[in-house]
Amino acid sequence: MANQPKKYKKFVATAATATLVASAIVPVASAATPSFPDIAGTGYDEAINAIADLGIVKGYEDGTFKPLNTVNRAGVVKFLGKYLVAQGKKLPTYEEATANGFPFTDLNAASDKELVQYAALVKKEEVFNGYQDGSLKPTLEIPRYQMAAVLVNAIEAIYGVDVAEEAKKANFASKITDIKGVSNEAAIVGLEFAGLTVVEKFDPTRTLNRGQFANFLSRTIDYAATLAPTVSSVTAINDTTAYVNFETNIGDVSEANFTVDNNVSVIKAEVNPNNKKQVKITFNKPLVDLTTYKVTVDGVKSEAGAAMKEASTVEFKYEIAEVATISLSKTKFYNGDNILDAVVVKDANGLTLNNEDLSIELSSTSATVDTTTGVVSADAAESFYVEVKVKNGSTVLATTGAVKVDVLPSLEIAGLEGIHIGDLTPASEVTDYTSAKKAGELDTKLKVNESGETLNLFAKDVEGNIVYITPTEGTTITNLNPTVANVAIVDGEFVINTVSTGKASAKIKVDNIEYTVSFDVLANEKVADATLSSTTAKLDSSSNDLSSEKEITVAFKDQYGEAYTSLANVNVDNDTATVLTYDDNSKLTVKSSNVRVATASVDADGKITVARPETNHVKGSATVTVEYKNASGTVVFNKTISVTSTDFDSAVASYDLEIISANTALDADNDANETGADNDDSVEVVLNKLDKNGNIIGQEEFEGDGVALTATTSNTTDQVFLEDVSYADGVATVALTEDALLKLVKSGTVKLTATKGGVAVDTLNVNYTNTDSVATKAVVNTTSKTYDLSVLGGTTITLDELIFGKLNTAGTNYIVNPVVSVQDQFAKVMGYDLEVPGLNTLTNGVEVDASTAVVTNLNNVTNVDGTLSLTDDTKAGTLTIVIPTIVTEENGDLLSAPVSINVTLVK
């Protein structure tokens, strides 16, 4: 074998062992993405498929996942146990799990054996510790606060990072409003700090369904990409190239990150674009057969910017084997594909050879393929036979034999991407769909009375592009639940005709590809609840008549928590009444428990008036009941208003500043990107006049009779972010300026001072902050870079692309990563808006300017107005980029000091 010509040999890495490596992430073998028929359109399908690919879930025996079923503690134990196994933790056998008794006191010999094994694992790894009495309580549903704790435990068990502690060290300010003092508050904040939850309300006591837990678990797995990289092995490709395999996705690297012994050095290093956990390194000279090498890796950063904690040395043995087999990795090709790219040659050890070092011969029964180049030119669908041989001169070392291949002129559809119900912009359906999906606004539900809505169907082709599917000639539809809804073709669109409530499914076959879609038909809106503008009323029972009545509005809500505005009353001619009848024969009734204390009536607009009776009024308390009955006479809701009637003194004894707006604090964030929150960049206040008993007897008119309001920030430099106090109808408004959104980085208080005749009569503090990101610091990755211009699709690269990155042709992923990252006031990295030309605009709209950057130390590189190319493309070229400043118009210079980056260009 030693005399075999070199180009017919394969170099094999064996017994690769990494030292000085922390706990590794070990992916399990992955089959094709499982096709669960009941997850499409749920919003959890991507997460479910992601964890299914890792072998964490397989679904039920009938092939379904049941994403809406509530998950219990046993289910979570299995989820997390399989996740730990997928990341390299050893699953104990049943005998090992029970060697010292059952892991939890309420598990026994009758328990599910698989549950016992996974329970032992999660307990051993301190992920799931159970209750204080030692029990697991496997059938109990798990609330969200407990889920937070076990996920934080899992992250620490696998990656050695306590995100709750990291959040505490960073003085992380949580935006979640409903977890103060709840159990596992620190764990919930840890999830938020790690980016695994971004909600304002966490609902800690609410339970989860299987889809929701899969979503959280998938995000936890993705979090691994942000952690420090560790090395697992080295695999030689040929005598001058090898892959260094990491446990997480890797960012930019250079040859300086890798050193080799035995007088071998690394002259090039690049991340594998198809598997970012691999870095391909090129050696300066061929490796020697049957020799053991050590590769030392240091300074490598993950794709998210996390650096290695320490250097790691990996040992591998290099060995040569002979050509054994040749095959095609696929037999279906598209116009422009190269069949030779699908050729797989393996050696006697079953390892894949580098085809560039092999003599390959292609023959075909059709002229559709160029047998010299291997390129397919398909004008129409066709099937034919090809044969590929590996040869040494005239000697055939291996052959595929005759292989039938199919070619198509366009990319094949791989499967269903998702659905959206409702109108989309013509010719922009894919853009609308992806935007809605990104924003979490996909609609997969409709109500019975929304019959006729458009069903927009989206698929993915084999290269991952999203395709909008419309009916074509021969399209067939099989409605699986016709008593719930039917899908039909109307004017070239798929249209849903509703029948009743329930889950509807349909099989839609377009161009011989069948899609199974599911959607929910919900009951029509109906009144389910209401809110009152006030639940209290104070009335004056004296002769002062200062506060003789109070008006209260009723805001109806439907069963989905949305505002219900479809009611029309039939009492249009009545000024007031105690019963308001609506056109559907439902009734709103108001009633006072003591009509001498207060009366209650409702007008034609549904406004309730609580008033002091005109005669025989008395001091005391009363309760006004607000009751709504549907057309069947069933009480839907019952609200109460507490009324107090007392004597008011007409003399003003003191003053009280009161906030009357819905929000009580100032937040400079962009209200447009909030979810359901009111505008919170302003507050409205009034100055109440109080009598000697503390009763409100009226309000002072601002700007009248010397009454004014001043606002002062606790941080004096933030005063510029306050607008001048404005007045209207006796109300003073304190607001943040528009600039505050992009510039305000501190939090503090605004002191409001009311003055009358120049005398301060009351003060009130209002908190202010900015929960949106503000650019505060620029970080430059100064690691030396190497770029292959031919891989990047051309012969040039611009200075802007080197600084701010370059996207693939689809505009979805970087093929050149940006070297500049911008951090906000919370020390989080701000993203760039990839849809804005130039790629130097942050997602908050702020443009990052690095125009002061210069190129120097040019060696075999030509620079024409910032466009760089190799002077002689047969040789490598080098240059240095110097960046003195990184500036934004809004935030000034974000760079603490000038930096330089060494760049190598090859082709």
Side-chain angles (χ1 to χ4, degrees):
M1 185 170 70
N3 294 323
Q4 188 81 4
K6 187 173 294 182
K7 65 181 179 180
Y8 303 125
K9 299 176 182 179
K10 170 65 180 175
F11 310 99
V12 184
T14 60
T17 305
T19 59
L20 299 177
V21 178
S23 301
I25 310 164
V26 184
V28 298
S30 171
T33 299
S35 178
F36 298 115
D38 57 343
I39 65 174
T42 62
Y44 310 127
D45 46 348
E46 289 187 3
I48 293 167
N49 283 331
I51 64 174
D53 278 347
L54 290 176
I56 295 173
V57 295
K58 295 180 180 179
Y60 290 87
E61 291 182 358
D62 62 358
T64 62
F65 184 80
K66 297 182 176 25
L68 302 182
N69 280 14
T70 302
V71 66
N72 59 20
R73 291 169 62 85
V76 172
V77 165
K78 289 185 178 181
F79 269 123
L80 292 177
K82 292 177 181 179
Y83 176 37
L84 291 171
V85 171
Q87 305 309 309
K89 302 296 183 180
K90 181 181 178 297
L91 179 67
T93 64
Y94 183 80
E95 290 72 22
E96 291 170 340
T98 57
N100 298 313
F102 285 87
F104 294 96
T105 57
D106 52 352
L107 298 181
N108 51 50
S111 301
D112 176 4
K113 289 188 175 182
E114 184 183 61
L115 173 61
V116 172
Q117 289 175 263
Y118 285 118
L121 175 60
V122 297
K123 186 175 183 181
K124 175 177 178 275
E125 297 295 334
E126 298 184 347
V127 172
F128 214 111
N129 298 315
Y131 287 89
Q132 290 184 349
D133 62 0
S135 65
L136 173 63
K137 297 182 173 51
T139 60
L140 286 186
E141 297 175 350
I142 189 165
R144 288 163 63 89
Y145 74 89
Q146 289 182 356
M147 173 212 66
V150 296
L151 288 182
V152 167
N153 292 343
I155 292 171
E156 183 173 12
I158 297 169
Y159 312 120
V161 177
D162 185 343
V163 293
E165 184 62 27
E166 292 297 319
K168 183 178 178 181
K169 289 179 181 178
N171 292 320
F172 177 68
S174 174
K175 298 180 185 178
I176 302 176
T177 61
D178 61 345
I179 60 172
K180 193 67 177 176
V182 304
S183 183
N184 297 337
E185 177 185 356
I188 298 169
V189 173
L191 291 187
E192 183 186 13
F193 175 77
L196 306 185
T197 182
V198 293
V199 297
E200 290 185 357
K201 289 190 176 181
F202 190 75
D203 288 336
T205 59
R206 182 161 57 87
T207 57
L208 302 95
N209 60 40
R210 285 167 54 84
Q212 290 167 332
F213 189 83
N215 211 14
F216 271 104
L217 185 54
S218 177
R219 293 179 195 170
T220 302
I221 295 171
D222 290 342
Y223 179 66
T226 69
L227 301 174
T230 55
V231 185
S232 60
S233 64
V234 172
T235 306
I237 303 171
N238 52 43
D239 60 345
T240 59
T241 315
Y243 275 130
V244 179
N245 303 299
F246 291 83
E247 305 298 349
T248 189
N249 288 352
I250 301 302
D252 289 333
V253 294
S254 75
E255 58 274 14
N257 298 124
F258 305 88
T259 56
V260 189
D261 63 352
N262 292 330
N263 295 317
V264 176
S265 61
V266 176
I267 60 173
K268 185 177 181 181
E270 56 186 340
V271 178
N272 180 359
N274 299 316
N275 178 3
K276 292 186 178 181
K277 292 182 179 180
Q278 290 184 330
V279 175
K280 185 169 75 172
I281 57 175
T282 303
F283 305 115
N284 65 326
K285 62 182 181 180
L287 303 178
V288 179
D289 186 23
L290 301 176
T291 301
T292 299
Y293 294 88
K294 292 181 180 179
V295 176
T296 300
V297 186
D298 192 17
V300 172
K301 293 184 178 181
S302 72
E303 189 174 27
M308 294 181 66
K309 297 178 179 178
E310 56 187 341
S312 178
T313 299
V314 184
E315 193 175 85
F316 72 97
K317 185 178 181 181
Y318 179 71
E319 189 177 353
I320 299 174
E322 298 177 352
V323 170
T325 63
I326 182 171
S327 61
L328 293 179
S329 62
K330 62 180 182 179
T331 59
K332 190 170 289 184
F333 299 92
Y334 302 91
N335 186 42
D337 281 354
N338 192 322
I339 291 181
L340 294 179
D341 290 340
V343 172
V344 178
V345 182
K346 293 187 176 182
D347 69 4
N349 295 321
L351 299 177
T352 302
L353 301 181
N354 187 342
N355 295 343
E356 293 178 0
D357 295 332
L358 303 174
S359 177
I360 304 292
E361 180 179 284
L362 171 66
S363 57
S364 171
T365 61
S366 171
T368 298
V369 57
D370 185 325
T371 56
T372 301
T373 64
V375 176
V376 173
S377 300
D379 296 323
E382 183 183 358
S383 297
F384 53 88
Y385 289 86
V386 299
E387 183 179 13
V388 189
K389 300 173 182 176
V390 184
K391 300 180 71 176
N392 178 10
S394 60
T395 303
V396 177
L397 301 178
T399 177
T400 62
V403 178
K404 182 182 178 182
V405 297
D406 298 309
V407 298
L408 295 169
S410 59
L411 292 175
E412 182 184 18
I413 296 297
L416 179 69
E417 157 65 19
I419 64 171
H420 177 73
I421 298 173
D423 292 334
L424 297 175
T425 306
S428 299
E429 290 89 355
V430 171
T431 301
D432 288 355
Y433 171 81
T434 52
S435 298
K437 184 175 182 179
K438 183 178 180 180
E441 296 173 353
L442 283 181
D443 196 348
T444 59
K445 301 175 182 178
L446 75 168
K447 302 179 181 71
V448 175
N449 60 1
E450 293 176 332
S451 189
E453 289 283 341
T454 302
L455 173 66
N456 299 283
L457 183 64
F458 297 89
K460 270 190 177 179
D461 64 26
V462 291
E463 290 192 355
N465 302 306
I466 298 176
V467 181
Y468 181 51
I469 304 299
T470 57
T472 60
E473 186 177 352
T475 293
T476 61
I477 301 172
T478 304
N479 290 294
L480 304 179
N481 310 94
T483 58
V484 176
N486 301 279
V487 179
I489 299 173
V490 179
D491 296 331
E493 293 182 324
F494 296 111
V495 173
I496 301 172
N497 298 309
T498 59
V499 179
S500 62
T501 60
K503 181 173 286 294
S505 300
K507 290 183 178 180
I508 302 175
K509 192 172 185 180
V510 184
D511 295 333
N512 294 318
I513 300 173
E514 188 172 84
Y515 309 90
T516 300
V517 298
S518 297
F519 52 88
D520 294 315
V521 180
L522 307 178
N524 296 332
E525 303 96 331
K526 61 181 179 180
V527 176
D529 199 0
T531 57
L532 304 180
S533 59
S534 179
T535 57
T536 61
K538 283 187 176 182
L539 305 178
D540 180 17
S541 63
S542 71
S543 59
N544 292 317
D545 199 18
L546 293 171
S547 184
S548 60
E549 66 178 32
K550 183 171 184 176
E551 292 183 343
I552 297 172
T553 57
V554 181
F556 290 105
K557 290 186 177 182
D558 64 20
Q559 69 268 45
Y560 308 111
E562 302 293 333
Y564 188 89
T565 58
S566 300
L567 288 174
N569 77 78
V570 296
N571 303 105
V572 292
D573 296 329
N574 294 338
D575 291 334
T576 58
T578 57
V579 179
L580 185 61
T581 303
Y582 295 96
D583 54 2
D584 64 352
N585 208 32
S586 60
K587 298 180 186 300
L588 182 69
T589 303
V590 294
K591 184 179 180 180
S592 173
S593 64
N594 190 333
V595 294
R596 294 191 63 190
V597 173
T599 61
S601 60
V602 57
D603 66 13
D605 295 324
K607 185 180 295 181
I608 298 169
T609 299
V610 178
R612 186 190 68 175
E614 294 183 1
T615 60
N616 299 322
H617 52 272
V618 297
K619 293 187 292 184
S621 300
T623 300
V624 172
T625 303
V626 183
E627 182 183 80
Y628 177 79
K629 290 183 178 180
N630 61 23
S632 301
T634 302
V635 176
V636 176
F637 65 77
N638 198 305
K639 308 289 181 181
T640 59
I641 303 168
S642 297
V643 185
T644 303
S645 181
T646 186
D647 287 344
F648 285 44
D649 195 316
S650 59
V652 178
S654 60
Y655 296 89
D656 178 51
L657 274 174
E658 179 187 9
I659 296 176
I660 62 170
S661 52
N663 56 293
T664 58
L666 297 169
D667 190 343
D669 66 339
N670 181 0
D671 296 314
N673 63 27
E674 295 179 352
T675 53
D678 294 323
N679 289 355
D680 52 8
D681 52 4
S682 66
V683 294
E684 295 178 342
V685 297
V686 295
L687 183 61
N688 294 318
K689 297 185 289 188
L690 307 180
D691 68 9
K692 64 183 180 182
N693 299 314
N695 296 314
I696 298 174
I697 57 176
Q699 293 173 349
E700 287 284 2
E701 289 285 338
F702 283 110
E703 289 194 310
D705 196 22
V707 181
L709 184 74
T710 59
T712 308
T713 58
S714 54
N715 298 310
T716 55
T717 55
D718 292 340
Q719 190 70 31
V720 295
F721 299 123
L722 279 185
E723 293 182 353
D724 293 336
V725 178
S726 62
Y727 307 104
D729 300 325
V731 177
T733 299
V734 180
L736 294 170
T737 64
E738 292 184 3
D739 284 353
L741 168 64
L742 302 178
K743 295 182 179 181
L744 177 62
V745 297
K746 297 178 181 178
S747 297
T749 58
V750 177
K751 182 179 181 180
L752 305 181
T753 304
T755 58
K756 180 176 173 61
V759 177
V761 295
D762 196 28
T763 61
L764 178 67
N765 285 331
V766 174
N767 293 328
Y768 70 88
T769 189
N770 186 4
T771 54
D772 273 1
S773 291
V774 174
T776 59
K777 178 182 179 182
V779 179
V780 180
N781 181 354
T782 56
T783 304
S784 299
K785 311 290 188 299
T786 300
Y787 300 106
D788 188 334
L789 297 180
S790 59
V791 172
L792 300 180
T795 59
T796 65
I797 189 169
T798 68
L799 178 58
D800 278 349
E801 289 170 341
L802 290 174
I803 295 174
F804 293 110
K806 182 176 182 179
L807 299 179
N808 59 12
T809 54
T812 55
N813 295 300
Y814 285 107
I815 55 175
V816 174
N817 288 319
V819 298
V820 174
S821 61
V822 177
Q823 294 180 357
D824 65 11
Q825 69 271 38
F826 310 113
K828 284 192 173 183
V829 175
M830 300 175 66
Y832 288 103
D833 189 341
L834 304 188
E835 296 181 0
V836 176
L839 302 183
N840 61 327
T841 300
L842 299 171
T843 51
N844 67 345
V846 169
E847 185 175 313
V848 181
D849 181 2
S851 58
T852 57
V854 295
V855 177
T856 187
N857 298 338
L858 295 173
N859 179 15
N860 193 39
V861 174
T862 300
N863 178 13
V864 180
D865 297 328
T867 298
L868 308 168
S869 61
L870 290 170
T871 308
D872 179 356
D873 63 11
T874 65
K875 301 177 182 178
T878 59
L879 59 111
T880 300
I881 301 173
V882 179
I883 306 178
T885 62
I886 296 174
V887 179
T888 75
E889 182 179 344
E890 295 81 3
N891 315 110
D893 188 3
L894 306 178
L895 195 60
S896 59
V899 296
S900 64
I901 311 165
N902 294 322
V903 176
T904 301
L905 301 181
V906 298
K907 186 174 185 296

